[in-house]
Amino acid sequence: MSTARKPLFAGNWKMNLNHLEAIALVQKLAFTLTDKDFDRAEVAVLPPFTDLRSVQTLVDGDKLRIVYGAQDLSTHDAGAYTGEISGAMLAKLGCTYVLAGHSERRQYHGEDDQLVNAKVQAAYRHSLTPILCVGEGLPIRQAGGHVAYTVSQLDAALNGVKHDQAKSIVVAYEPVWAIGTGEVATPEDAQEVCGAIRVRLAELYDEDVATAVRILYGGSVKGGNTAGIMAQPDIDGALVGGASLDPADFVKISRFGEMSG
Ligand SMILES: O=C(CO)COP(=O)(O)O
């Protein structure tokens, strides 16, 4: 972590919690997190689409400092695309962030680099900040190709993205073998790839972009392993799956793994 960038802890709820459960979880987080916590780090939740309106009403009504976003968006802005949700709709719901290219979308919905690039562009068209997810599967890691593979995903996703847009992107390095498996990457393993992502951003754009972009680690992050991850120079926060459904653990993660704020 560098003091130049505000850390971001984002909870990807995946397909969990209905809108009533969403309200209860956000209320619990809001009750525990203090202004000091929000001054130190940005805390975001990424609920299912059906929860977003309820979360918006709660956040606006109680003037909460928690921000929120969606887990996916359409490459299209409107039209005959049954079942899709546009960036315009998410913007209207007050979303700050939207995931693009989560490994579960790539794996179960056949999203390739070109589609992920189109989703990143769609997010920018509606002033949403993309959280671009990249990361290798186990065979690539075992063959030693993890840095090259992840950097090539980054290259493809940023195709046509302009300097000022790139400056605001969030990149999440999520090695597929560490997602939901309890198998967390060592802080050094995570740093190796996150550092390479930052070097690549400087090559693709310039130092200005490389210094500004927040790079998160994701994959079995818990309160107990956050401090080691956050001690790495190129890791600026975490994208949290399972542990983000547990308010006490997500608060601990948001406090860099410390118990109290
Ligand atoms: O996919 C993830 C977040 O997007 C990580 O999930 P887990 O934290 O459950 O491993």
Side-chain angles (χ1 to χ4, degrees):
M1 181 201 127
S2 146
T3 45
R5 298 176 287 273
K6 187 163 191 179
L8 169 62
F9 297 97
N12 173 12
W13 295 0
K14 308 193 178 182
M15 196 173 71
N16 295 291
L17 307 186
N18 62 40
H19 69 290
L20 299 173
E21 294 164 333
I23 292 171
L25 178 48
V26 173
Q27 279 173 330
K28 278 183 193 151
L29 294 173
F31 184 75
T32 317
L33 290 165
T34 64
D35 275 331
K36 191 177 141 206
D37 293 321
F38 288 114
D39 291 342
R40 278 176 84 199
E42 208 179 351
V43 182
V45 293
L46 309 171
F49 291 131
T50 49
D51 299 358
L52 287 171
R53 175 62 179 151
S54 303
V55 170
Q56 177 186 35
T57 304
L58 176 61
V59 167
D60 286 356
D62 290 358
K63 299 194 169 34
L64 304 182
R65 292 179 71 184
I66 286 176
V67 296
Y68 55 91
Q71 299 170 16
D72 186 31
L73 82 169
S74 175
T75 59
H76 306 286
D77 295 335
Y81 302 102
T82 302
E84 295 275 282
I85 302 288
S86 71
M89 294 167 178
L90 298 177
K92 202 75 181 163
L93 286 165
C95 288
T96 301
Y97 294 108
V98 62
L99 294 181
H102 191 278
S103 65
E104 287 151 17
R105 301 290 317 171
R106 294 180 192 256
Q107 189 179 345
Y108 304 134
H109 301 272
E111 295 195 4
D112 60 13
D113 283 338
Q114 210 186 339
L115 190 85
V116 173
N117 175 244
K119 290 194 171 188
V120 167
Q121 308 259 17
Y124 284 123
R125 280 201 299 281
H126 300 286
S127 304
L128 299 164
T129 299
I131 302 178
L132 166 68
C133 303
V134 293
E136 82 288 352
L138 190 56
I140 295 170
R141 160 73 51 171
Q142 285 169 336
H146 46 284
V147 170
Y149 182 86
T150 304
V151 166
S152 79
Q153 284 183 323
L154 179 76
D155 286 352
L158 290 175
N159 191 17
V161 172
K162 295 185 180 63
H163 180 275
D164 279 2
Q165 296 174 325
K167 235 176 130 168
S168 71
I169 203 167
V170 177
V171 181
Y173 170 56
E174 297 206 306
V176 178
W177 49 271
I179 295 179
T181 57
E183 190 83 40
V184 64
T186 65
E188 293 73 23
D189 283 344
Q191 166 60 30
E192 181 194 18
V193 181
C194 293
I197 290 170
R198 199 174 304 286
V199 167
R200 188 65 182 150
L201 287 169
E203 288 165 2
L204 290 172
Y205 297 94
D206 55 19
E207 278 302 327
D208 201 24
V209 170
T211 308
V213 169
R214 289 175 298 178
I215 304 176
L216 316 183
Y217 167 77
S220 298
V221 172
K222 305 211 167 6
N225 58 30
T226 304
I229 292 163
M230 291 305 291
Q232 300 300 317
D234 288 303
I235 304 180
D236 307 307
L239 183 56
V240 186
S244 71
L245 302 173
D246 173 344
D249 211 32
F250 191 55
V251 165
K252 188 173 173 190
I253 292 166
S254 305
R255 290 177 174 160
F256 306 70
E258 292 154 28
M259 278 308 268
S260 53

